[in-house]
Amino acid sequence: MAQKSHEKGSTGGTPVVTEPERVRNVVLVGHSGAGKTTLVEALLAATGTIGRAGTVADGTTVGDHDPAAVRQQRSVSLSCAPLLHNGIKVNLLDTPGYADFVGELRAGLRAADAALFVVSAAGGMDAATVALWEECAAVDMPRAVAVARLDQPRADVDETVALCQRLFGDNVMPLYLPMLGDDGVSTEGLLGLITRRVFDYSAGLPADVRAPDPEHQRAIDESRDELIEGIIAESEDETLMDRYLDGEEISDEVLIDDLEKAVARGHFYPVVPVCAQTGVGLDVLLEVLTAAFPSPLEHELPAVTGVDGSPRPPLSCDPDGPLVAEVVKTTVDRHVGRVSLVRVFSGTLRPDQTVHVSGHGMAERGHPDHDADERVGHIYTPLGATLREVSLCVAGDLCAITKSGSAETGDTISSRDDPLLIAPWEMPEPLLPVAIVARSRADEDALARNLARLVAGDPTLRLERNPETHQLVLWCMGEAHADVVLDRLRAGGVELDTEPVKVSLRETLTVPAKGHGRHVKQSGGHGQYAVCDIEVEPLPRGSGFEFVDRVVGGAVPHNYIPSVEKGIRAQLERGLVTGHPVVDLRVTLVDGKSHSVDSSDAAFQTAGALALRDAAERAQPALLEPIDEVTIRVPDGSVGTVLGDLSGRRGRVLGTEPDPDTDGRTLVRAEVPATELLRYAVELRSMTAGTGTFRRHFVRHDPMPTHLADQTRKEQHP
């Protein structure tokens, strides 16, 4: 780590590696404004990967040649920025800080072997970042913390570190303390706690490493013992703690070696203060990324099966093994078309190679199962929007491929001779519906093309064509996600509007009644004659439709009874009052009349429909609304607010219980009308400071309250 070596040891150019042990895949995590993208820019500049660091405010980050709209989209998208330091390639995966773009974040977690949590020294931390730390802890992902934005007026490293320790746990410990300048405010250097050395950045990078002044020595000694005890507690050498307590001086080399092992195993979490603007801590952080974070060889790989689901042996990160890679992100570039960011888990991906592309298990999100053989053209290493061609991509590394005809986010790329499948990573369900409509027929064609591209690249976006409401509905993660999707559609030349989302309702009849249907017409030549008498009665919820034949004496010829049922079923689909399908009803055909010449199949269909409509006038029609069961996961402190809100939504609480997976969280189960959940994804996030989540599934239809049913009828039939 930085205490081992402080030479720059970095080169620019296109980083290409052939050995997995020389790769580090690191995802940057933190809330919006924490300084992730600015830190990535500074690290790229510090290693000579780019000429100079851009800024988010000026729109001059990697890919600054792009229009502002594209830069804005990049700020809510996963981006990959590789650099080379001391012969190690580090793939930095910069993720959005907005909760709506959790799909991009989870893609970054899937592609990474370790996580760097970026926390602003001046901005605190949001609850979503804490929840993500807990998620990483559940899978033992190695983590470190970069306390950034030291140049901000209200920056307080000590308070930020204390906050991290309260929220993340005791094993979060600083390796360095900030060294203030003569003004007592600005950070000009770092105090190394293990080596007891000063890293002075007043002259820029690399740091001037020297012995501490007396006042620095006092600060180092006060914090060093706690750090050493934390490192030794995680050491594999069980005798080390006894030796330390007996007063033995433990060498820096032993401490650093144990520290790196503990970090790589995900048991110890170092904190490094950094400042992208002044360069403070950048070289130190690079040493943490390359020396302490694990290589792909040390990271457990996802399980694989055959494309038919047949079991297969576990993968190993072997460049000579079977090819298994995964598309972690798909975008559409206006110049080169579809671009797929790929993580290679096993084998080696080469140009001009024919591979098998499989996508399974995402049909409910609008991604039908698909399998295809494709030829890989060129292989690139991505740097923001820039693609630099490389000769290969070995197991453990990331690359980009272009112009794939079928590859979508989450798809598996494997050998054509032995196709395999990686199970898709867990994605939250999109729960905010947005109904869209094209302004013209020409826009409809453009909308279909653009939607196909967006859905292929975003597994958190679900497309639904509702056959009952005839609406085209995009299910999004939240308002910001919906705004970005709509902006991308409009940027693709589509003129569209949004409209209120309609909920699929049902009708039913609430009391028994009789109906008479008479369809008699004579206009010369062949006429129409059919008479039906029916009885209707309501059935329990969920029973559907039953048709009973109780005709005696051949009043309705046997061959026309199916015609009556067909006509009634057609009327049920069309609805009786508001145009919604009718359910939970038994119709009994009891009598009728026919004519030897003028009766026909069509006539009895019409008579059956007329009889049902006649019965409905006396059977007290009612509107039914869908009821969903929701499972809401919220912090304990928000339970009261959520329960009160559910009551206002006509919800029925089924119970609450502690979340078995996470301390400090509660699961609330309730039944809520679907009409009350249209914007619940947004409103729950507002009630819980962005930490509440929920799942929903349909359970049944229940009668809508009279005043709401009357209002719905007036809206649909003014």
Side-chain angles (χ1 to χ4, degrees):
M1 299 172 70
Q3 302 174 54
K4 278 185 174 179
S5 169
H6 305 288
E7 298 179 3
K8 188 172 183 180
S10 304
T11 60
T14 302
V16 180
V17 296
T18 58
E19 302 165 348
E21 57 265 29
R22 293 178 53 216
V23 176
R24 304 290 184 271
N25 297 309
V26 181
V27 59
L28 278 75
V29 178
H31 64 81
S32 179
K36 299 185 301 298
T37 301
T38 303
L39 179 58
V40 169
E41 291 282 321
L43 292 172
L44 293 174
T47 55
T49 307
I50 59 177
R52 66 178 181 86
T55 67
V56 175
D58 296 337
T60 55
T61 55
V62 172
D64 61 304
H65 57 277
D66 286 354
V70 177
R71 290 198 303 271
Q72 184 274 334
Q73 290 180 13
R74 184 180 297 108
S75 70
V76 294
S77 298
L78 174 71
S79 65
C80 180
L83 57 83
L84 204 62
H85 179 75
N86 286 342
I88 302 294
K89 180 186 179 184
V90 182
N91 291 311
L92 297 174
L93 294 157
D94 187 12
T95 63
Y98 296 97
D100 279 8
F101 304 99
V102 64
E104 304 285 333
L105 173 61
R106 292 188 183 275
L109 290 172
R110 178 65 163 231
D113 304 309
L116 178 65
F117 281 71
V118 182
V119 181
S120 171
M125 192 186 315
D126 66 349
T129 303
V130 180
L132 189 61
W133 180 277
E134 296 168 352
E135 186 175 323
C136 291
V139 296
D140 289 330
M141 174 172 274
R143 283 149 281 161
V145 178
V147 178
R149 306 188 71 186
L150 304 183
D151 56 326
Q152 296 299 303
R154 298 185 305 276
D156 189 333
V157 175
D158 293 339
E159 175 57 33
T160 304
V161 171
L163 175 66
C164 291
Q165 290 174 334
R166 289 197 303 270
L167 298 176
F168 294 161
D170 295 336
N171 275 7
V172 177
M173 293 187 181
L175 301 183
Y176 303 86
L177 301 178
M179 183 182 73
L180 301 181
D182 294 337
D183 59 4
V185 177
S186 61
T187 302
E188 291 190 354
L190 300 177
L191 307 178
L193 296 182
I194 294 182
T195 59
R196 291 172 282 205
R197 306 288 284 176
V198 170
F199 301 84
D200 191 340
Y201 295 88
S202 57
L205 286 169
D208 175 28
V209 184
R210 57 179 172 81
D213 298 331
E215 66 270 21
H216 298 148
Q217 187 66 55
R218 189 180 309 110
I220 291 172
D221 291 340
E222 290 176 356
S223 301
R224 187 173 190 270
D225 288 344
E226 183 180 2
L227 172 63
I228 292 176
E229 290 176 7
I231 295 173
I232 291 176
E234 297 298 333
S235 174
E236 296 178 346
D237 185 349
E238 297 179 356
T239 68
L240 201 58
M241 181 61 78
D242 292 335
R243 290 160 50 194
Y244 174 73
L245 294 176
D246 289 341
E248 179 179 338
E249 182 72 19
I250 308 299
S251 70
D252 294 351
E253 289 74 14
V254 170
L255 290 173
I256 293 173
D257 186 59
D258 281 349
L259 170 64
E260 292 174 353
K261 290 178 180 177
V263 173
R265 293 197 308 268
H267 297 164
F268 189 88
Y269 318 107
V271 180
V272 178
V274 293
C275 184
Q277 300 297 333
T278 63
V280 170
L282 294 181
D283 51 354
V284 168
L285 180 60
L286 284 167
E287 290 293 338
V288 171
L289 301 182
T290 55
F293 274 168
S295 75
L297 295 172
E298 304 168 73
H299 189 69
E300 185 178 354
L301 301 184
V304 296
T305 65
V307 293
D308 58 354
S310 57
R312 295 298 176 91
L315 294 176
S316 62
C317 186
D318 181 2
D320 297 322
L323 175 64
V324 180
E326 186 172 30
V327 179
V328 295
K329 180 175 175 59
T330 302
T331 57
V332 179
D333 185 272
R334 66 185 188 281
H335 299 301
V336 298
R338 184 175 293 193
V339 179
S340 299
L341 179 65
V342 175
R343 163 74 190 259
V344 180
F345 289 107
S346 173
T348 300
L349 188 62
R350 304 179 186 276
D352 300 323
Q353 184 177 1
T354 300
V355 298
H356 185 84
V357 179
S358 295
H360 291 242
M362 293 288 288
E364 73 281 0
R365 296 287 184 90
H367 300 255
D369 292 354
H370 54 275
D371 292 274
D373 289 340
E374 290 193 13
R375 177 179 167 274
V376 176
H378 299 290
I379 297 177
Y380 305 89
T381 181
L383 179 59
T386 304
L387 299 178
R388 301 170 294 173
E389 189 170 351
V390 293
S391 58
L392 54 82
C393 184
V394 299
D397 203 357
L398 293 166
C399 67
I401 60 175
T402 61
K403 301 179 181 178
S404 171
S406 62
E408 299 181 355
T409 300
D411 283 3
T412 303
I413 298 175
S414 58
S415 169
R416 178 178 58 176
D417 299 329
D418 185 21
L420 299 173
L421 184 67
I422 301 176
W425 61 85
E426 182 180 349
M427 282 288 184
E429 185 73 16
L431 294 168
L432 178 67
V434 179
I436 60 174
V437 56
R439 292 183 182 175
S440 68
R441 180 60 61 87
D443 288 320
E444 288 180 0
D445 296 336
L447 178 61
R449 292 192 302 270
N450 282 273
L451 279 175
R453 288 195 290 264
L454 288 179
V455 172
D458 187 354
T460 63
L461 178 66
R462 179 161 60 90
L463 177 63
E464 175 190 358
R465 300 179 186 275
N466 193 309
E468 296 181 15
T469 65
H470 307 292
Q471 284 187 311
L472 183 63
V473 179
L474 293 175
W475 289 85
C476 306
M477 297 302 302
E479 287 184 309
H481 187 205
D483 289 343
V484 167
V485 170
L486 294 177
D487 287 345
R488 288 176 176 172
L489 289 172
R490 292 176 177 127
V494 181
E495 294 291 333
L496 57 84
D497 296 304
T498 61
E499 61 182 7
V501 177
K502 301 175 184 177
V503 173
S504 299
L505 303 178
R506 296 288 186 271
E507 297 178 20
T508 194
L509 303 179
T510 59
V511 298
K514 296 181 178 181
H516 177 73
R518 183 175 185 274
H519 182 61
V520 178
K521 288 187 176 182
Q522 189 69 47
S523 57
H526 195 284
Q528 299 182 52
Y529 188 95
V531 177
C532 295
D533 290 296
I534 63 171
E535 296 176 354
V536 300
E537 56 183 311
L539 294 176
R541 295 290 163 259
S543 300
F545 168 68
E546 292 182 14
F547 179 80
V548 179
D549 171 22
R550 276 213 325 253
V551 175
V552 295
V556 177
H558 182 73
N559 59 310
Y560 290 136
I561 291 176
S563 303
V564 176
E565 180 180 357
K566 185 176 181 180
I568 290 173
R569 286 184 179 274
Q571 187 64 54
L572 292 174
E573 287 298 317
R574 292 193 297 268
L576 295 170
V577 180
T578 59
H580 298 290
V582 182
V583 296
D584 303 334
L585 189 67
R586 177 184 291 127
V587 176
T588 303
L589 178 62
V590 295
D591 200 1
K593 295 180 181 179
S594 65
H595 189 277
S596 59
V597 176
D598 292 341
S599 290
S600 65
D601 169 73
F604 271 100
Q605 287 189 45
T606 303
L610 291 171
L612 181 62
R613 284 155 57 182
D614 180 60
E617 295 178 0
R618 293 176 290 279
Q620 299 179 15
L623 270 182
L624 302 178
E625 60 181 343
I627 304 297
D628 286 359
E629 181 176 321
V630 296
T631 302
I632 310 166
R633 181 177 181 268
V634 296
D636 292 344
S638 300
V639 172
T641 302
V642 169
L643 291 178
D645 178 75
L646 288 173
S647 176
R649 296 176 187 275
R650 299 185 286 125
R652 184 170 70 91
V653 177
L654 303 177
T656 63
E657 62 186 54
D659 186 350
D661 299 325
T662 310
D663 293 337
R665 299 283 197 278
T666 297
L667 297 179
V668 179
R669 293 193 307 113
E671 291 182 347
V672 186
T675 53
E676 302 286 348
L677 294 174
L678 293 178
R679 292 187 54 80
Y680 194 59
V682 176
E683 290 151 356
L684 176 64
R685 189 176 295 167
S686 175
M687 284 186 284
T688 60
T691 60
T693 61
F694 75 105
R695 303 188 306 273
R696 62 187 286 186
H697 67 272
F698 169 78
V699 288
R700 65 180 180 278
H701 282 88
D702 274 356
M704 181 181 284
T706 303
H707 69 285
L708 294 178
D710 291 341
Q711 179 181 339
T712 300
R713 293 188 183 100
K714 290 178 181 178
E715 290 174 352
Q716 298 185 355
H717 301 280

